[in-house]
Each structure stands twice: as C-alpha cells, then as structure tokens.
Amino acid sequence: MCGVVSIVYSGNIANLGNEAASLLKKLEYRGYDSTGGAFIKEDGSVTLRKKVGAPSRVIEELEITKQSGFKFIGQVRWATYGAVTDINAQPHEVNCLIHMVGAHNGNVSNTDKLKDFLSDNGHHVVSDNDGEMVVHLVEHFYYGLSHKSKPETNEQKIALMIKAIRKAQKMIEGSYAACVTLPEIPGVFAIKAGSSLYAGKGSDTAGNFIVVSSDLTSVLSKTRFLIPLLEGDGMYFDNETYKVFSLTEDKEWVPKLSRSRLNIADIQLQPKFHFFMEQEIFSSPRNIDTLMLYYF
C-alpha cells in the first residue's frame, strides 16, 4: 500500500520537521517497513533522512522534528519491490543528469524492465525499489527536454517537468501516486495514476500552504478546503497557487476549492483502537444504524 505526502510553505520555516512528523505518523497504517523524508530549503539544498522502521519508532532516530525548510516530501513504505532495507526506503534523491527528489506509493509492475532501461541510459540506480524508477524516469525525460531548450525561468522549468511526467507515465505500468520536485523551483508535482491522492489548501501559524497525501485524514488535519483530483490527473503546487494537468493530454486547468463536510474526528483512528481495521469492525453496527436513519 505505502503512503506519500508533501507540503509546501512560502519560505523556510524552523518547524517544518514537526509538521512532517505529524503527517508521517498519520500515514503509519499505510506502511511501517520504512519511513523517510526529504526537506528542501530555499537555496536548493536537500536533507534526506530515511531508514527501516515505522514512523512512531524511527522519527526520533531520524531527527525529523529538528529539520527545517520550505517544502517536504515524505513516505512510509509497505515493501513490495525490493527488500526491507534503508537503501530501498523512500524518498529517493537522484542526480545522474538533473538533481531531483521524489517518492511514490503503489506498484510499478515493469520495474525490472525500467531499471534496465535507466541503467542503459546512464542512470546509476542504487535500489530495487520501484519508486526510484519513477523519479529517475522523470529525471531522464526532463534532462532530454531541458538539454534542448535550456529553460531559465521557473515557468519554463515547470512546463518542461509536466511534459517529462507525461513521457514517464507512458512507460510506467501499474498503479501508483507520486510526488516529485526539482529542488530549485518553488513547488512540487503530484501524480495520481491509480492510487489514492488528496490535496488541500490552508494556512497555519507558519503561513499559507498546500498539502497532498495518500491519506485524506492527514489532509483534513491541516485544512477543510480540498483541491479536486481525479484519476489520471497531475498537479503542480507551491504554497499559494496550483494547477492540475492531464497525464495523457495537453490540458491544464485550475479547479475551484471544495469544502469538505467530513470532520477529522469522523475518520481518524480513535484512541481506544490500535488499528483502522479494528475500528471499522467495531463501528459497523453504528454505521448501519446511521444509514437506516438516513434512508428509512
């Protein structure tokens, strides 16, 4: 299953690590084989921390709460492709051709074929994890496009990244969601290609932000204002602005925010339960009574 999460603020904030730790813990039910986070500062520097273990166990060891920056990409892993090792943990930071950071959830079923393709084209693939293949593929196609056009502005780089993501998507087989970024630009790209992904816009004591996550609960813990994302959508977002684009067609748009009617209390894990499955089983009678009330 796995879980991926990302949040972007307007500038470096000292408590980004605390925000990251909270979001990662909310994803623990989606994966507990490894935990990781990439913290990116305005100067383009990246701090990557990841290792085997559940968020509740390794966040302190990784010193996640001590990290700062203005954008964050995190992941919790339920191992499929690649053994449960630190090197197979996500996110992945690559710099064979272009400096890039990213993570995914889901399964890329042609991972072995993609690894051969990437290795044959000059990429140093260090893990057996399918998430690394996704990041390297975007890197590969972005480099090819940028080598020809020499982008200078952020707008030009964003446009090329969208094209690179579409090219990468054509080669990927499977179902996944991902977050990937160039450290040098203000925002992050999110991809919804067969796995759950939610997005929201809000503000807190650190300023305005946009957050995306595999888990709706983690988004609702930060904001009730959601950005609609459908299957086959990609999105570029910074702390304030966003645009959605098709993964297969040359289309872009800016959907209106929608206000969620759900409360975080309605869907979060209640204190008396240890697992979501346990909570679902014990809440079934109450849910049936609610349905009966609504419909009869």
Side-chain angles (χ1 to χ4, degrees), residues 29-62:
Y29 76 98
R30 297 186 65 89
Y32 32 77
D33 286 328
S34 65
T35 303
F39 299 85
I40 301 154
K41 292 185 172 65
E42 289 180 288
D43 63 4
S45 61
V46 177
T47 299
L48 179 61
R49 298 293 176 90
K50 59 181 181 177
K51 70 176 297 183
V52 168
S56 57
R57 185 170 68 82
V58 303
I59 277 177
E60 186 175 347
E61 297 174 26
L62 291 171

Side-chain angles (χ1 to χ4, degrees), residues 33 70-71 82 102 121 139 224:
D33 286 328
F70 82 105
K71 57 183 177 179
N121 283 274
E139 176 200 17
R224 298 282 292 279

Side-chain angles (χ1 to χ4, degrees), residues 13-17 39 47 49 62-69:
I13 62 170
N15 71 331
L16 183 61
F39 299 85
T47 299
R49 298 293 176 90
L62 291 171
E63 298 186 326
I64 293 289
T65 58
K66 296 181 181 180
Q67 305 307 314
S68 61

Side-chain angles (χ1 to χ4, degrees), residues 165 169 176-178 190-200 212-213 226-236 242-249 251 253-256 258:
I165 288 169
Q169 174 61 17
Y176 73 102
I191 303 165
K192 182 177 173 64
S195 287
S196 63
L197 195 67
Y198 305 91
V212 301
S213 176
L226 302 181
I227 301 168
L229 285 178
L230 300 177
E231 175 60 30
D233 286 349
M235 183 175 77
Y236 172 76
Y242 61 90
K243 63 178 175 181
V244 177
F245 57 90
S246 169
L247 295 177
T248 57
E249 301 177 72
K251 293 181 180 179
W253 64 96
V254 180
K256 292 182 179 180
S258 62

